[in-house]
Amino acid sequence: MKINYQKELEKIIKDIDEEKVPSLMLHSCCGPCSSYCLEYLSEYFEITVFYYNPNIYPSEEYDFRVEEQKKIIELTKAKNPIHMIEGKYEVEKFYEMAKGLEDIAEGGSRCHKCYEMRLKEAAKIGKENGFDYFTTTLSISPHKNSQVLNKIAEKVGKEIGIAHLPSDFKKNNGYKRSCDITREYGMYRQDYCGCEFSKKETEERNLKKDKENLRKEMIELAENLDENYMKSSDEKIIEGLLKSEEYINSKNIFCYVGKRPEINTSIFIEKAIKDGKTLAVPYCVDDKIMKAYKIESIDDLRVGKYNILEPDPDKSKEIDKEDLDLIVVPCCSVDMDGNRLGFGKGYYDRFLESIKAEKILLIREKQIAKKIAVSKYDVKIEKIITEKGFYKILSD
């Protein structure tokens, strides 16, 4: 059964003796998160903000957050005094704690151990200095589980011997109020929790969002292209592909079966078969694996996964991708650095990884993007054919 920790906090506040202001050791993760907590709690407690966050990465970010913490303390209109203690920036202690948990998703066991590490230090300092309570600002975050946080803090409080002040500061629009305060004061509000791992996870999440937005934009652009332009461009692109040295010198070719608004590859497929090439097309085995199957004609294809024409694996021969000489690559868009934007399933990035075959991407000029952000999993394509010609991208 979930506990409403905000109501638990309100019960304690209600019983406070107005003649004696209790002392509170408030662990703060950052200035913005502490803003509402300070505004709210300083009505009832004499607060000492304990800034102890050895998880913050990089060190420049740590220094910046310390200054923002000092700034919000100075700006808060408090009934009772607010003090601050800056803990040690013990980076090595954080990494020792996180060892073996580096790949755990944010909010999991690594984070729980990090909460405990910081709360123990706050409780220890609070106990040594005779504080009545200790708590943390962490529960204000919509990304933090207050049930987990409070249980960890309760356990720590019992171990150290100091009362834990229950909290769920996101309640009563606490998080919204913290955003309003920091906006009002023009404060820096970070977009990741703090550690190297959360920074990486946030960057990957933002990258995925950016790619999804660009993909949506490019698909809409492609679907609205003039039919005559598409037909004319596709003919020139296929002509350029057939004239390329890569095609002429190849024996085993893998080519996607173009589905509008992709480049129409049917003419190329038939010509390659007529020229005596071994021509294989994609077959999606499941949501991750794509294999190459040889066909003798476009007529060998059937409508399959994602409503795309594909071979019948029971009637076609599988071709080992290591035997391929040339791979014709589709895309939603590409930039002139060879950074490819696919359709979001990751089939080609997995298929192309570590493969030695020549790779040529087909794209119309109007679908080329100025810049595409990429992750470590994205495979760069160094040869591109458009209706205007053949581009070779220089390797980094």
Side-chain angles (χ1 to χ4, degrees):
M1 179 178 169
K2 285 188 177 181
I3 298 172
N4 187 325
Y5 287 104
Q6 174 60 28
K7 287 188 176 179
E8 295 299 307
L9 171 58
E10 288 169 2
K11 289 177 187 176
I12 292 173
I13 288 174
K14 187 178 178 181
D15 292 337
I16 288 175
D17 184 350
E18 293 183 6
E19 298 299 316
K20 184 181 182 299
V21 179
S23 56
L24 172 65
M25 174 62 67
L26 176 65
H27 165 262
S28 176
C29 55
C30 65
C33 284
S34 71
S35 59
Y36 165 73
C37 304
L38 293 174
E39 180 184 73
Y40 173 42
L41 295 174
S42 62
E43 284 287 310
Y44 313 102
F45 300 89
E46 181 171 344
I47 300 170
T48 294
V49 171
F50 182 52
Y51 188 86
Y52 177 69
N53 300 292
N55 57 312
I56 303 300
Y57 172 88
S59 59
E60 294 82 4
E61 176 77 12
Y62 175 86
D63 294 337
F64 198 69
R65 293 195 192 192
V66 170
E67 292 308 309
E68 291 296 281
Q69 182 65 73
K70 292 175 181 176
K71 178 180 177 180
I72 194 62
I73 291 172
E74 186 180 330
L75 291 170
T76 299
K77 298 175 178 64
K79 178 180 177 181
N80 294 301
I82 301 175
H83 316 283
M84 177 176 168
I85 297 173
E86 183 183 348
K88 294 178 182 178
Y89 184 41
E90 303 170 309
V91 179
E92 65 288 344
K93 188 174 179 180
F94 168 74
Y95 282 108
E96 181 62 31
M97 177 279 300
K99 192 176 291 183
L101 303 171
E102 294 88 349
D103 295 327
I104 300 294
E106 189 173 357
S109 56
R110 184 189 66 243
C111 292
H112 298 173
K113 289 187 73 174
C114 184
Y115 304 156
E116 185 173 1
M117 178 183 72
R118 290 184 279 170
L119 285 166
K120 272 187 177 178
E121 195 67 20
K124 179 184 169 187
I125 300 295
K127 172 69 174 176
E128 289 173 354
N129 290 276
F131 279 74
D132 296 306
Y133 297 96
F134 86 102
T135 194
T136 178
T137 63
L138 285 164
S139 69
I140 199 168
S141 169
H143 305 296
K144 302 289 188 290
N145 187 323
S146 64
Q147 302 295 309
V148 170
L149 272 167
N150 279 275
K151 284 174 183 174
I152 291 172
E154 285 167 8
K155 175 190 163 198
V156 167
K158 287 176 183 176
E159 287 177 4
I160 305 295
I162 181 173
H164 166 245
L165 188 70
S167 69
D168 190 356
F169 294 120
K170 69 178 74 65
K171 297 280 189 182
N172 298 338
N173 288 319
Y175 177 70
K176 181 179 181 299
R177 177 59 185 153
S178 75
C179 293
D180 291 342
I181 293 170
T182 51
R183 197 160 38 241
E184 179 185 341
Y185 292 141
M187 294 184 68
Y188 162 72
R189 194 174 194 100
Q190 65 277 359
D191 65 352
Y192 68 104
C193 180
C195 74
E196 178 180 357
F197 312 113
S198 70
K199 186 175 191 295
K200 177 183 173 184
E201 203 169 314
T202 299
E203 288 171 347
E204 288 176 352
R205 189 163 53 245
N206 290 341
L207 173 62
K208 185 178 179 181
K209 186 177 179 181
D210 289 344
K211 289 172 82 170
E212 285 173 354
N213 289 337
L214 180 60
R215 185 177 293 114
K216 183 179 178 182
E217 178 186 329
M218 285 300 178
I219 288 174
E220 185 177 349
L221 181 152
E223 288 176 344
N224 288 290
L225 287 174
D226 178 75
E227 290 291 340
N228 290 329
Y229 165 73
M230 292 173 71
K231 185 174 183 296
S232 171
S233 297
D234 290 8
E235 288 172 355
K236 291 175 183 176
I237 289 168
I238 297 304
E239 182 182 354
L241 178 58
L242 290 169
K243 288 181 178 179
S244 69
E245 289 183 10
E246 289 77 6
Y247 171 75
I248 293 168
N249 295 330
S250 66
K251 293 181 180 179
N252 302 319
I253 301 171
F254 179 82
C255 181
Y256 69 96
V257 183
K259 176 188 174 185
R260 193 184 186 286
E262 292 176 320
I263 307 300
N264 184 348
T265 56
S266 58
I267 294 173
F268 171 76
I269 290 171
E270 292 285 20
K271 181 69 168 68
I273 293 170
K274 186 177 179 181
D275 287 346
K277 310 282 189 182
T278 296
L279 194 289
V281 296
Y283 174 72
C284 297
V285 179
D286 53 29
D287 289 339
K288 290 186 177 181
I289 299 173
M290 181 172 72
K291 292 186 176 181
Y293 280 86
K294 179 183 177 182
I295 61 169
E296 302 294 342
S297 166
I298 284 284
D299 296 333
D300 292 346
L301 303 175
R302 62 181 187 178
V303 177
K305 204 173 184 71
Y306 309 116
N307 203 31
I308 295 172
L309 289 174
E310 63 181 22
D312 183 342
D314 295 328
K315 298 179 181 179
S316 305
K317 178 185 176 183
E318 183 181 349
I319 304 294
D320 189 327
K321 69 177 185 178
E322 297 302 327
D323 293 333
L324 298 171
D325 306 310
L326 173 62
I327 299 174
V328 181
V329 184
C331 71
C332 179
S333 184
V334 71
D335 64 22
M336 293 314 293
D337 289 322
N339 298 314
R340 172 183 172 270
L341 178 69
F343 290 91
K345 301 295 182 183
Y347 283 111
Y348 275 86
D349 289 317
R350 287 186 290 271
F351 187 82
L352 297 174
E353 188 179 16
S354 303
I355 200 167
K356 294 178 181 178
E358 292 280 5
K359 307 169 193 71
I360 297 179
L361 182 145
L362 309 182
I363 186 74
R364 303 179 191 96
E365 288 278 342
K366 289 184 179 181
Q367 291 170 261
I368 295 174
K370 288 183 179 179
K371 186 67 180 175
I372 294 175
V374 294
S375 72
K376 63 181 180 180
Y377 304 107
D378 295 319
V379 176
K380 190 170 184 175
I381 306 297
E382 297 181 349
K383 296 180 180 181
I384 300 170
I385 297 179
T386 76
E387 68 270 26
K388 290 187 177 180
F390 193 118
Y391 300 97
K392 291 186 179 181
I393 311 299
L394 295 176
S395 300
D396 294 335

